[in-house]
Amino acid sequence: MNIRSVVVYSVLRLLAFLVPFGVLMIFPVFQQLWWLAALFAALIGLSLSILLLRRPLEEVSTGLYERRQGKRVRRPSGRELDAEAEDAVTRED
């Protein structure tokens, strides 16, 4: 996974929220109801990210999937480890 793609996607998602929030806070109504401006900005940011950030999301998702599949190494269970330890002790005798 490329850390650059994660950082780019995260920064773009933050901008998709912060820019509409800043624009909404210019209006006097939203200065009193900042939570409503945050709610609208979150909805706008979500919509923008779904529409415009498909490629960065795909890069991050692909990287995460490949990284997760690379780590899928079968780990021995506790019983198997115990059996191996017992076998090693009996071989030493």
Side-chain angles (χ1 to χ4, degrees), residues 5-57:
S5 61
V6 174
V7 171
V8 166
Y9 180 68
S10 298
V11 168
L12 290 174
R13 284 290 306 260
L14 282 172
L15 286 175
F17 170 75
L18 292 175
V19 170
F21 184 69
V23 170
L24 288 173
M25 289 303 291
I26 292 173
F27 298 110
V29 162
F30 290 115
Q31 290 176 357
Q32 296 296 322
L33 302 171
W34 60 268
W35 57 270
L36 190 60
L39 180 67
F40 285 154
L43 292 173
I44 293 168
L46 179 65
S47 301
L48 288 175
S49 67
I50 289 172
L51 294 173
L52 302 176
L53 300 180
R54 188 166 299 170
R55 185 174 296 144
L57 175 61

Side-chain angles (χ1 to χ4, degrees), residues 74-91:
R74 185 180 174 280
R75 296 181 186 163
S77 67
R79 289 183 181 174
E80 292 172 346
L81 289 174
D82 187 44
E84 288 178 15
E86 289 174 0
D87 292 342
V89 169
T90 56
R91 282 187 217 138

